[in-house]
Amino acid sequence: SKQNAKHIPGDWSNQKQLCTVCGHVMGTDTKAPVLEGLKDGESYTVEDTIDGKPGAYTFTVSDPAASGETSSGVKSVTITDVPQDGPTYRLPAPDGGNNDAGAEYTVVATDNAGNETTATVRIYRRHHTVTFDANGGSEPEDLPEEVTTAMPAKKVLHGSEYCLPECEFIAPEGKQFKAWQIGDSEYAVNDPVTVTADITVKALWKDIEKPTGEIKISENSWKAFLNNITFGLFFKDTQTVTITAADNSGETVTVEYLLSDKELKKAELDGMAFTAYTAPFGIDPDNEYIIYVKLTDTSGNTDYICSDGIVLDGTSPVIIGIENGKTYCAAQTVTVDEKHIDTVTVNGKEVTLDENGSFVLSPADGEQKIVVTDKAGNTAEMTITVNDGHTYGEWVSNGDGTHTRQCTVDG
């Protein structure tokens, strides 16, 4: 100026600042403003405020000078055509629901030299992720090729309620869906949970497969529940009963037993008192038994198994009608007192009893050995001689003019 020989700075125009008096170029600014923390085309996710309201993404604007140039300073900032006051600018997150598309903003920063920076960004409200753990289950076989899981992760807004869905996983063999687990707590389908962090929802499976077991006596074993039981298994000595059990869960099975002398149906067993099985036990003669076993796993699944009918017979047969070692002079009727007769032999030859359990022992030369064996292996035997008529001795006077002679065998 004429007064002080100094230039007077004027307004910026076309990236230059001229002296208002002489038009001298006092400064040049070709560098556009910088959006600090904001990049065109990016997406940003923001947390809710402490009171659960949608938060905002913040940024600042600077106007650095290029080398050898002068910063003209930030003139204006608009957000989607709305002028803003700085120095900190806010891009609010949308108050949207699950899977919202976010909020798009276009930010334009202009400096005094006319340089301009534009950025279009998208702001999302922070969502928490709910993921699902099959916990041994599997995916359905009919999933479309492009789908990797029947239960994809869900995005849920912070602080909102999420209702737990039906389980779409395929249960492991022998199990069915029981409940969802979050942390140490169980939840039913449709139960609401408040989501304040990322969570994993794990499927819990309930065992529906019944436990299995085995009853063993000597070389005999049973693994099922029998119908139409017959008492066809015989022992003459005390027998030891051993019971084992297993479950697909690998956990302990509760084993109980009941001794019965008659066949029972499952419906009858449901209301009867069983004895806890803790170790092998003995069953003694003379009894008849069916061993019923109740198996219960930790999930409450119950099943029954049983043995066939068992006869414990420790008593030998009884031979009636003759005396051991005696000789008879006529055929004898021999009767056998035994419920479970197996065989009756005379000198090794089997004979058949009539409906009264008897047979006629006819005369024969020499001794005849009778052996009776029951089905448990108990035996009874007698040896007698049966002659074909009497063998008389000498006549003896009776002193009255009469004489008598007697059989030398039986008198």
Side-chain angles (χ1 to χ4, degrees):
S1 70
K2 295 180 179 179
Q3 292 83 358
N4 55 18
K6 292 184 178 179
H7 296 293
I8 300 174
D11 294 333
W12 286 83
S13 178
N14 296 323
Q15 300 180 324
K16 295 178 181 178
Q17 187 179 40
L18 304 178
C19 175
T20 57
V21 178
C22 66
H24 175 74
V25 177
M26 299 183 65
T28 302
D29 183 1
T30 61
K31 187 175 178 67
V34 175
L35 305 177
E36 303 289 352
L38 211 61
K39 184 178 180 182
D40 184 41
E42 289 291 325
S43 296
Y44 302 94
T45 302
V46 297
E47 300 283 355
D48 282 355
T49 62
I50 194 169
D51 57 357
K53 303 293 185 181
Y57 186 79
T58 59
F59 66 96
T60 59
V61 179
S62 63
D63 187 45
S67 177
E69 294 185 350
T70 303
S71 171
S72 62
V74 176
K75 180 180 180 181
S76 67
V77 175
T78 64
I79 298 177
T80 313
D81 297 327
V82 177
Q84 304 291 318
D85 294 327
T88 300
Y89 304 91
R90 301 174 74 256
L91 301 176
D95 189 7
N98 292 346
N99 304 312
D100 69 280
E104 184 177 271
Y105 297 98
T106 297
V107 178
V108 179
T110 307
D111 64 12
N112 289 297
N115 301 299
E116 184 177 280
T117 298
T118 300
T120 298
V121 298
R122 190 169 294 277
I123 304 300
Y124 290 94
R125 187 177 180 184
R126 170 69 71 186
H127 294 77
H128 296 298
T129 302
V130 179
T131 56
F132 298 92
D133 179 358
N135 190 29
S138 58
E139 298 288 348
E141 294 182 356
D142 57 352
L143 284 178
E145 185 175 347
E146 67 277 8
V147 177
T148 58
T149 177
M151 303 204 72
K154 303 294 183 182
K155 289 186 177 297
V156 181
L157 288 176
H158 178 88
S160 64
E161 278 194 347
Y162 176 70
C163 289
L164 295 171
E166 295 281 350
C167 180
E168 301 293 338
F169 295 124
I170 303 300
E173 184 176 356
K175 296 184 178 181
Q176 69 180 15
F177 179 74
K178 177 187 177 186
W180 293 113
Q181 183 181 48
I182 302 174
D184 295 327
S185 300
E186 290 187 15
Y187 298 86
V189 170
N190 294 326
D191 275 357
V193 293
T194 301
V195 181
T196 57
D198 290 349
I199 59 174
T200 297
V201 181
K202 183 166 67 174
L204 296 180
W205 307 107
K206 182 175 70 172
D207 179 21
I208 58 172
E209 188 170 310
K210 294 179 179 180
T212 59
E214 181 180 26
I215 306 167
K216 293 194 71 173
I217 298 176
S218 186
E219 299 301 317
N220 305 279
S221 71
W222 301 270
K223 297 180 180 180
F225 189 86
L226 307 180
N227 294 301
N228 302 318
I229 288 175
T230 59
F231 285 85
L233 186 60
F234 292 84
F235 299 98
K236 66 178 181 179
D237 301 314
T238 296
Q239 296 297 304
T240 299
V241 180
T242 302
I243 305 171
T244 56
D247 187 59
N248 64 322
S249 66
E251 297 180 354
T252 301
V253 176
T254 299
V255 179
E256 301 168 281
Y257 68 92
L258 171 70
L259 301 180
S260 175
D261 60 359
K262 64 179 181 179
E263 184 174 359
L264 300 169
K265 303 299 182 183
K266 285 187 177 182
E268 296 175 281
L269 293 171
D270 286 340
M272 302 185 76
F274 280 69
T275 300
Y277 174 84
T278 57
F281 61 92
I283 50 176
D284 301 320
D286 287 284
N287 291 289
E288 295 183 359
Y289 294 113
I290 302 170
I291 303 166
Y292 288 97
V293 173
K294 182 178 182 181
L295 307 169
T296 307
D297 66 17
T298 55
S299 295
N301 300 302
T302 297
D303 201 13
Y304 295 104
I305 61 174
C306 69
S307 70
D308 206 344
I310 302 163
V311 178
L312 292 164
D313 183 359
T315 302
S316 295
V318 177
I319 300 172
I320 302 171
I322 57 175
E323 295 181 27
N324 188 43
K326 192 171 181 179
T327 300
Y328 298 91
C329 295
Q332 299 294 304
T333 297
V334 181
T335 301
V336 177
D337 183 9
E338 171 57 50
K339 181 179 179 181
H340 305 293
I341 294 175
D342 187 17
T343 61
V344 179
T345 62
V346 176
N347 288 343
K349 184 178 180 180
E350 190 166 348
V351 298
T352 302
L353 303 181
D354 63 19
E355 65 274 12
N356 298 315
S358 302
F359 72 97
V360 175
L361 187 62
S362 300
D365 292 334
E367 293 181 337
Q368 298 188 69
K369 184 177 183 179
I370 304 161
V371 179
V372 180
T373 305
D374 66 19
K375 292 180 180 180
N378 301 297
T379 61
E381 60 181 64
M382 286 189 182
T383 301
I384 64 171
T385 301
V386 181
N387 295 329
D388 187 11
H390 296 290
T391 302
Y392 293 102
E394 297 294 330
W395 288 96
V396 177
S397 174
N398 295 322
D400 59 0
T402 62
H403 293 76
T404 301
R405 61 175 181 173
Q406 293 181 326
C407 178
T408 59
V409 175
D410 60 8

